[in-house]
Amino acid sequence: MSESNVSLKVEFSGGLELLFSNQRSHKVAVPGTVPTKYNDPSSPSKPADIAFLIHYLRDNLLKERVELFMENDTVRPGILVLVNDTDWELEGEGQYVLKEGDEIVFISTLHGG
Amino acid sequence: MPPRTCALCSTNRAMLKRPKTGQQICRECFFYVFETELFKPGDRVAIGASGGKDSTVLAYVMKTLNERYNYGLELFLLSIDEGITGYRDDSLETVKRNQQQYSMPLKILSYDELYGWTMDAIVSQVGRKNNCTFCGVFRRQALDRGASMLGVDHIVTGHNADDIAETVLMNIMRGDIARLGRCTSICTQGEDTIKRSKPFKYAYEKEIVMYAYFKKLDYFSTECIYSPDAYRGHARVFLKDLEAARPSAIIDIIHSGEAFEIREEVKATQKVQQTCKRCGYMSSNDLCKACTLLEGLERGMAQAGITDRGRKKLESEGPAPENLRTIPFYQPPSAGNAAILLEAP
């Protein structure tokens, strides 16, 4: 594993913050290199990407009701992800490789009026 | 992935993939296509405002377009206070900030003043299982009555494409033919009801949320504390799964709802619209749903408005007492009779 961490700013909104200690903005440092299979050190390594970050957030920051955040190894449908203010669908979604200083925003669209 | 250029202006970097078309577009072009899809009327319009994302974006866009294109609309915010402590009181604070931010007059009408019951009181009597029925029926009528008090000729609500597709699915599964026909109309108007429209009928939830995010709009996002409508919840999760597999699914379902044809023999069995004998609001029976629900609450038999058995029980106990609390008689809309108190800015 690489010793250098990647520092990120992670934000939750649209109601998702309720699952993360009711705190919208978090500073997170993740390893620069991680196993391809989450939590399986025997699998080959890869640079940390958003797919890893989602698992990492689940295990390190999420406080309750995981089913409202994740489904089938990714975010639950209805959660928008932005990478430095750009729709992650334009950035390779889970395969986007995290860079120092990136701002990742998760917004739930599921909360009503 | 290398940055892509916008499919519309071919100049700026794309920042959003539009779910309806699959186009990758930049921020400015997104604002342009999103804003110009909306309608262009010209009178007194009430915006049904809950403080949530949809109605907040709607209020912002209505104000922006009204000023940009000189529609000459007189805009109002109309909020219904269901009386849900810890939920609606907080979201109404957002609406009050919107009143300042957008300089629009605000009218708040509460279930308590109209029906004599808050949702908190209703839930304490009926429990959490059927309370959404009360809330839905009461809200619809309250919006019309609030609009009538404001003397407006048009109510716009923030229902988006996802909401409408959900409603289509629910009405098909419930076999609710009458509502299936109405629920996909952008604009509905009964004989003595106020015109209602849903300018965001084709706007995806994703677009509403991205618009609010990029524009940094102030909205409230908390789930209602009284068990969210379970039936709608299932339709919603199903729809989000469909959208993940194929984004056009939402528009496709709306299209199916629009294209649904009902056979004449079936249409003939539909009940004719009349006015409620007790409160004057539109109804398909002698008594409108809100009056039936209210009578049940007042006589301590809340099931009366929900199940057939409940209604039979109520009827077997004799006619409604003379001094029963009722809803004030509905004044059909007539512009110019507005003499009501607005919220102090």
Side-chain angles (χ1 to χ4, degrees), chain A residues 14-15 17-18 71 76-78 80 82 84-87 89-92 105 107 109-113, chain B residues 1 13-17 24 27 50 53 87-88 205-206 209-210 213-214 221-223 236-237 240-241:
Chain A
E17 65 277 14
L18 298 173
E71 194 181 298
R76 183 181 179 214
L80 303 181
L82 305 185
N84 301 321
D85 267 5
T86 297
D87 185 356
E89 289 188 50
L90 303 179
E91 299 285 354
V105 179
I107 314 175
T109 64
L110 294 172
H111 290 274
Chain B
M1 275 186 166
R13 192 166 84 93
M15 293 185 78
L16 164 77
K17 183 172 170 191
Q24 308 192 357
R27 200 186 296 217
S50 66
K53 58 182 167 23
Y87 170 65
R88 189 54 86 212
E205 195 152 57
K206 174 175 175 182
V209 173
M210 293 295 280
Y213 179 80
F214 285 154
S221 50
T222 300
E223 204 67 67
R236 160 159 272 244
V237 169
K240 282 288 159 204
D241 288 342

Side-chain angles (χ1 to χ4, degrees), chain A residues 78-82 86-90 93 107-110, chain B residues 15-20 22-25 30 34 53-54 57 160-163 202-214 219 236 240 243 247 250:
Chain A
I79 294 177
L80 303 181
V81 186
L82 305 185
T86 297
D87 185 356
W88 78 330
E89 289 188 50
L90 303 179
E93 302 192 13
I107 314 175
S108 171
T109 64
L110 294 172
Chain B
M15 293 185 78
L16 164 77
K17 183 172 170 191
R18 223 183 165 208
K20 180 169 9 191
Q23 278 174 325
Q24 308 192 357
I25 54 179
F30 168 56
F34 185 76
K53 58 182 167 23
D54 303 299
V57 172
N160 59 43
D162 298 55
D163 295 329
Y202 294 121
Y204 275 57
E205 195 152 57
K206 174 175 175 182
E207 294 179 296
I208 307 270
V209 173
M210 293 295 280
Y211 193 89
Y213 179 80
F214 285 154
Y219 71 88
R236 160 159 272 244
K240 282 288 159 204
E243 187 191 8
I250 287 172

Side-chain angles (χ1 to χ4, degrees), chain B residues 83-102:
Chain B
I84 304 175
T85 311
Y87 170 65
R88 189 54 86 212
D89 45 357
D90 290 347
S91 66
L92 286 175
E93 289 307 312
T94 312
V95 179
K96 287 178 188 162
R97 285 197 302 277
N98 293 159
Q99 173 192 15
Q100 308 285 337
Q101 291 155 350
Y102 306 154

Side-chain angles (χ1 to χ4, degrees), chain B residues 241-288:
Chain B
D241 288 342
L242 282 183
E243 187 191 8
R246 192 179 70 166
S248 72
I250 287 172
I251 286 292
D252 297 341
I253 288 174
I254 296 176
H255 180 72
S256 305
E258 291 165 341
F260 219 86
E261 280 289 336
I262 295 149
R263 277 174 31 201
E264 289 302 323
E265 304 94 277
V266 177
K267 267 190 205 160
T269 64
Q270 297 290 306
K271 288 183 179 166
V272 186
Q273 286 282 332
Q274 45 179 314
T275 51
C276 172
K277 293 203 160 51
R278 192 172 290 164
C279 79
Y281 190 73
M282 64 170 172
S283 173
S284 44
N285 295 298
D286 281 357
L287 279 191
C288 73

Side-chain angles (χ1 to χ4, degrees), chain B residues 226-245:
Chain B
Y226 296 130
S227 73
D229 188 343
Y231 196 63
R232 182 170 286 277
H234 293 310
R236 160 159 272 244
V237 169
F238 174 63
L239 204 66
K240 282 288 159 204
D241 288 342
L242 282 183
E243 187 191 8

